[in-house]
Each structure stands twice: as C-alpha cells, then as structure tokens.
Amino acid sequence: ILARRNRAIMRRVKNVRRFLVVSDIHIGDAVMAQSALAAIRDYFPDATVDYVVNRMAASLIDGNPDATRVIPLFANAQFPSPPEMTALRDIIQHGRYDLCIVLCPFMTHEDLAPPDQPLVCILSHAPTMVRNDGNPGLVNHFSVLQYHFVRDLLDEIARPARDARFRGVRSTYSDAAIAQAAEFGREAGI
C-alpha cells in the first residue's frame, strides 16, 4: 500500500530542483542515510538538497558535497519531540521543496505536510528489508537500502545523469568536528 502511495506521489512530481531529505533521528542514522543524498545526485547533480539531521551529527556531515545545506534538528531522544515535529513542518512549509524524502519510520505524510506536498516515506521499503533479512545472499544494510530506495523513486520521474556510484557512506569531517575531537582528546588526556 505504501509503495503504491509513493509511486502515485512520484507521478505528481513535475519539477525537481529542490529536495528535502529527513534522516532518522539518531546520530548513526544521519551518517548512514547520506547514501540517499548520493542517490539524488545520481539523477539531479545540480539540485538543491537540504538534509535534516540529529544536532550531534551535523558536524560530521557538514561539508558533504552531496548536501546543499545540513539542518541540525533532532536532539537524540528515542522519538521526535512535538517541538521538533513542529519545526520540521515549518521547514517543509517554507522550503518550497519539490520532493521531501523521509527516512524516519516515526513520521508520516500526515504528520508533516499537507496532502499536496510531494512527500515519500521509507516505510514503503520495509518489505524489501524484511525479505533481504531472511536471505544472507542479499545486502540488507540500511545505507545500501536507502540508496536503492531513493534511486527506485527517482526512476519513476527521471533518468540518471550518472551511473550508480554509491560505494559506501562518505566520511566528511568539518572543521567543527575536528575541533570537537581535539577538545575531547585533550580533556581525556589522549
């Protein structure tokens, strides 16, 4: 049902210049979900791609050339808080995004945007994850699955501008992340 809904939403998408990608709410999820950004760049190398992440992960992702802007929002709680959901709704409403891709299973279209806002959710990919989990010969890493989820969506509306190039999650360390690590090292006596 969710996959059909995503396909119907993708058929309504006409102009794709501005994307919003919402990672899951934890630090590691934000790092691993960078694969979705690479998938978008495979199709739309010149698009604006904003990326909503956990506040603590922002300095690890800032500087990734696949993200136009990193938006630190989530505070590392178990679930998104009501103020975080309100802030995300505001980002979507004011960002004029052509397509929003939500990788957090705790958020639905109804939670975030009006029906006319093109917004797709990763939950439609859950059957693939469950299927792959039972077959050791299939890749079932979230980073790879998110990359293919986004590519499958974009296949509905465009042809790739470049070959599939995802070879793993990019490690990008901003100056702020390096400074934080150095401070941690000094405080820990390392």
Side-chain angles (χ1 to χ4, degrees):
I1 292 173
L2 291 171
R4 271 189 299 223
R5 180 179 184 175
N6 283 350
R7 282 193 299 277
I9 289 167
M10 293 306 292
R11 283 192 293 275
R12 290 192 343 245
V13 173
K14 301 297 178 216
N15 178 26
V16 190
R17 301 300 312 144
R18 294 184 51 78
F19 290 87
L20 179 69
V21 177
V22 180
S23 77
D24 203 346
I25 62 174
H26 301 290
I27 297 168
D29 296 322
V31 172
M32 300 310 287
Q34 292 178 89
S35 60
L37 309 175
I40 292 169
R41 293 290 180 210
D42 287 349
Y43 287 78
F44 302 100
D46 299 321
T48 296
V49 183
D50 291 344
Y51 189 39
V52 177
V53 300
N54 180 296
R55 291 179 210 156
M56 299 297 292
S59 64
L60 297 173
I61 297 164
D62 211 21
N64 179 332
D66 291 333
T68 306
R69 181 171 65 136
V70 175
I71 304 170
L73 178 63
F74 305 117
N76 220 28
Q78 187 172 2
F79 298 104
S81 70
E84 290 168 348
M85 293 296 284
T86 299
L88 185 53
R89 278 191 293 277
D90 289 345
I91 291 166
I92 292 169
Q93 180 181 3
H94 294 102
R96 297 189 176 158
Y97 295 102
D98 301 312
L99 181 62
C100 300
I101 300 171
V102 177
L103 303 174
C104 179
F106 306 118
M107 300 175 196
T108 65
H109 195 153
E110 294 76 18
D111 293 332
L112 299 173
D116 61 333
Q117 170 65 55
L119 185 147
V120 294
C121 297
I122 189 77
L123 279 178
S124 66
H125 209 61
T128 300
M129 294 177 196
V130 171
R131 180 201 69 213
N132 288 4
D133 196 42
N135 185 339
L138 295 174
V139 175
N140 203 36
H141 191 277
F142 279 112
S143 193
V144 173
L145 291 173
Q146 289 170 347
Y147 177 78
H148 288 291
F149 168 71
V150 172
R151 281 189 64 94
D152 290 348
L153 289 172
L154 297 178
D155 273 341
E156 297 280 333
I157 60 169
R159 293 182 189 252
R162 66 183 189 196
D163 293 332
R165 297 191 325 183
F166 178 66
R167 291 180 180 85
V169 175
R170 179 187 311 252
S171 293
T172 305
Y173 303 105
S174 67
D175 291 341
I178 293 168
Q180 286 175 339
E183 180 63 24
F184 174 80
R186 278 190 297 278
E187 288 176 5
I190 301 174

